[in-house]
Amino acid sequence: MEIVSKIQEWGDRNHPQWVDYFRIALGITLIWKGVAFAMNLHAFTDLMDNAGLGTAVSISLIAHTIIALHIIGGLLIALGSNTRLFCLLNIPILFTAVFFVNMPGHIMRPYSELWLSATVLIALFCFLIEGDGKLSIEYKKSQQIIEQNNTSQI
């Protein structure tokens, strides 16, 4: 647990402000893919039926979990609230998308989703370490708490 705390402290200390724009872009990308996934839910259902994965209930549960984590997680990542948590929750989804859905036989296909999925996966790992940054709700909250502590001590 101490290693995780050290990584979080390092990420909070060494976070340039321009990186926050990439965090915001990552959040918007996740929202966009969540909405696109919801609009094309039939393609996911066909893919899962062909894979022989469980019943319709489990397929529906997985699909709606992915949609919720992408949209809610993307919004909170873009706003800079609980960034590390939602990066951690989205990593298994993107890992599956890269290595089990997009990779097998579709790498050189025109308009392949592999490159976008791989880029988002790498960005999720980066922001799992980096955290929120200065352009975030969490940073604003921490600054308000520091100001309240300073004024109460005076």
Side-chain angles (χ1 to χ4, degrees):
M1 215 49 195
E2 187 177 318
I3 293 172
V4 173
S5 297
K6 286 182 180 181
I7 290 172
Q8 287 178 346
E9 288 175 21
W10 181 88
D12 292 339
R13 279 194 320 267
N14 300 306
H15 190 97
Q17 190 169 351
W18 60 268
V19 174
D20 289 345
Y21 296 111
F22 288 112
R23 188 198 76 239
I24 294 167
L26 172 64
I28 291 169
T29 303
L30 284 172
I31 293 168
W32 167 57
K33 290 308 289 181
V35 170
F37 193 81
M39 301 297 280
N40 297 312
L41 200 54
H42 65 281
F44 180 76
T45 305
D46 293 342
L47 178 70
M48 291 296 112
D49 282 339
N50 292 336
L53 178 71
T55 64
V57 174
S58 65
I59 293 171
S60 178
L61 183 64
I62 291 169
H64 287 87
T65 302
I66 291 170
I67 293 167
L69 282 175
H70 274 9
I71 294 174
I72 295 168
L75 178 65
L76 290 175
I77 289 170
L79 293 174
S81 178
N82 298 313
T83 299
R84 288 185 174 113
L85 172 66
F86 282 100
C87 284
L88 187 64
L89 292 174
N90 274 293
I91 284 173
I93 297 168
L94 269 295
F95 185 82
T96 303
V98 169
F99 292 105
F100 297 108
V101 176
N102 294 323
M103 182 90 80
H106 303 293
I107 294 175
M108 302 309 270
R109 179 179 72 187
Y111 311 112
S112 174
E113 290 283 322
L114 173 68
W115 307 112
L116 177 63
S117 298
T119 303
V120 171
L121 179 63
I122 291 167
L124 286 171
F125 275 114
C126 290
F127 286 106
L128 180 65
I129 295 169
E130 283 289 325
D132 299 318
K134 292 183 180 180
L135 293 177
S136 68
I137 292 173
E138 295 295 324
Y139 183 78
K140 302 289 186 217
K141 281 192 227 177
S142 68
Q143 292 303 317
Q144 289 175 349
I145 291 170
I146 290 170
E147 288 176 11
Q148 288 173 354
N149 289 340
N150 288 341
T151 55
S152 66
Q153 290 177 355
I154 296 177

